[in-house]
Amino acid sequence: MIDPIAAQAVASNQDEDYFDEGSYTTSIASSITDYKYEHGRRYHAYQEGRYLLPNDEVEQNRMDLQYHAVRLVFGDKLFFAPLQNDMKRVLDVGTGTGIWVEDVADSYPDTEVYGIDLSPIQPRWSAPNVKYQVDDVEQPWTFPRNHFDLIHTRIMLGSLRDWPLFFTQCLKHLRPGGYVECQELSVDARTDDDSLPENSALTAWCNNQYDAMKTIGMELKVTGDMIKKQMLEAGFVDVEVKEFKTPIGQWPQDEKMRETGAFQLVAMLEGIGGLTMALWTRFLGWKREDVEDELVKVKKEMQSKNVHSYWPTFAVYGRKPVE
């Protein structure tokens, strides 16, 4: 069990054996940047509808703030898998703005670092050991088998529909002895002191997110042990789970956790509209005005220092057996 976070005192108030880049990988072209717009937000064009969150500048900012919050929680570690400095190739799945790829490339300049995503929102200028591709990870992979030392994901719970297939693909494309690592955050706000109010707006938001995603086969409330089980079933060995808590807001006593909570709170305050609007209007039948009214309540609750909420966060890594 993870220790509770101490709060500040507050006033009472498919099978591919070869690399055929041209077959599936889509180059940056007008068809990919012909973005779709809904409720004033911009969404990806390639494989339209596969990913349900925006890809505009507001969402990119939220993703980067979220990244910094989780990196602080992880003690500045980019990954936990026990890999050496002689990694040749690393793949980041669902790379988003590419911030993890850029950090890994900077820390390991002799390693080729690949990032794939449905949206071409990565930096135009990167280190020479970085390569980005617009691709769909749930389509057949274009990389050779036995190719990567590490395959990494971060917060892909709202992106992948078929985790068993993903781990099967990882097993094929990792070199023997290579690792897959999933760094995930469960959309299931919790407290250690029962400080979420009765009829909590944040709890209701989590439940609605869960219900909306469930209609399209995605799971948002997960545990590290659930991911571990799927890795083991796919054939990985030496699977380890590391559990953490990501605070929402500046309520923790610890200075670093308070900084973490500040990043997370700003990410949510600025980005919750993009996380919510398409899901609730498309799948739950809400009207835009009603969504906006509900989010006012959620934001107010997240900003309260009397509510000591956090996201269960975990890193799970497993090794491909040496054949």
Side-chain angles (χ1 to χ4, degrees):
M1 180 177 178
I2 318 171
D3 292 337
I5 306 173
Q8 296 185 91
V10 180
S12 58
N13 60 359
Q14 190 107 187
D15 187 358
E16 295 294 313
D17 294 328
Y18 57 91
F19 182 50
D20 184 5
E21 185 170 354
S23 295
Y24 298 104
T25 302
T26 307
S27 61
I28 305 300
S30 59
S31 61
I32 294 176
T33 54
D34 184 18
Y35 296 121
K36 310 303 176 184
Y37 291 83
E38 182 179 342
H39 298 300
R41 301 302 298 270
R42 191 186 75 188
Y43 294 81
H44 71 95
Y46 177 62
Q47 297 284 61
E48 181 185 354
R50 281 282 297 109
Y51 182 65
L52 294 165
L53 302 186
N55 68 357
D56 53 24
E57 288 73 16
V58 175
E59 173 62 8
Q60 291 175 43
N61 187 54
R62 183 200 68 81
M63 288 191 289
D64 286 349
L65 288 165
Q66 178 75 75
Y67 173 86
H68 288 299
V70 173
R71 183 158 177 174
L72 285 169
V73 168
F74 287 169
D76 216 34
K77 282 184 172 291
L78 293 167
F79 54 86
F80 294 91
L83 288 156
Q84 304 303 316
N85 292 334
D86 60 349
M87 295 185 299
K88 293 182 180 179
R89 286 174 291 271
V90 170
L91 174 64
D92 185 34
V93 174
T95 196
T97 63
I99 190 169
W100 186 87
V101 164
E102 300 292 330
D103 283 350
V104 172
D106 183 59
S107 299
Y108 300 89
D110 295 325
T111 301
E112 296 176 12
V113 189
Y114 295 77
I116 61 173
D117 201 277
L118 291 170
S119 291
I121 58 173
Q122 298 77 40
R124 296 184 63 184
W125 305 104
S126 297
N129 58 325
V130 168
K131 182 176 181 180
Y132 294 113
Q133 294 181 185
V134 176
D135 215 343
D136 182 353
V137 71
E138 293 191 303
Q139 297 296 317
W141 289 23
T142 63
F143 300 105
R145 296 183 69 158
N146 304 313
H147 192 60
F148 293 104
D149 296 279
L150 173 65
I151 297 175
H152 166 270
T153 73
R154 177 174 287 188
I155 310 183
M156 288 287 284
L157 295 179
S159 303
L160 283 175
R161 288 171 170 81
D162 194 337
W163 282 87
L165 173 62
F166 171 71
F167 289 129
T168 298
Q169 295 281 51
C170 289
L171 199 68
K172 292 177 183 177
H173 294 279
L174 283 165
R175 65 163 178 79
Y179 283 84
V180 61
E181 179 163 326
C182 299
Q183 301 173 354
E184 298 298 333
L185 179 153
S186 181
V187 184
D188 185 18
R190 299 181 186 178
T191 68
D192 292 323
D193 57 2
D194 297 321
S195 57
L196 278 169
E198 188 176 355
N199 300 320
S200 162
L202 179 55
T203 298
W205 180 83
C206 293
N207 290 336
N208 282 336
Q209 292 291 103
Y210 172 83
D211 290 341
M213 281 294 193
K214 200 71 174 176
T215 64
I216 53 172
M218 292 190 188
E219 177 65 75
L220 291 182
K221 297 181 181 181
V222 300
T223 66
D225 286 337
M226 291 167 65
I227 298 294
K228 177 179 180 177
K229 181 176 183 290
Q230 292 185 343
M231 284 187 184
L232 290 169
E233 289 174 349
F236 287 94
V237 297
D238 300 333
V239 179
E240 298 289 340
V241 179
K242 293 186 176 295
E243 297 182 312
F244 305 87
K245 298 174 181 179
T246 302
I248 307 168
Q250 292 187 280
W251 57 265
Q253 288 182 351
D254 179 80
E255 183 177 354
K256 179 172 284 188
M257 293 299 285
R258 195 158 59 247
E259 181 184 5
T260 302
F263 274 114
Q264 180 60 71
L265 178 61
V266 174
M268 289 298 295
L269 293 177
E270 293 188 359
I272 195 170
L275 295 173
T276 310
M277 189 62 69
L279 287 174
W280 291 23
T281 56
R282 291 184 197 177
F283 305 116
L284 301 182
W286 285 57
K287 295 181 179 179
R288 177 176 179 173
E289 309 79 50
D290 294 334
V291 174
E292 292 171 344
D293 289 344
E294 186 67 18
L295 294 185
V296 171
K297 303 174 188 176
V298 180
K299 290 179 180 180
K300 181 178 179 181
E301 187 173 309
M302 287 191 296
Q303 292 178 84
S304 171
K305 287 191 175 182
N306 292 309
V307 178
H308 308 143
S309 57
Y310 63 85
W311 303 119
T313 307
F314 50 87
V316 187
Y317 61 85
R319 182 174 61 84
K320 177 177 178 176
V322 177
E323 299 173 351

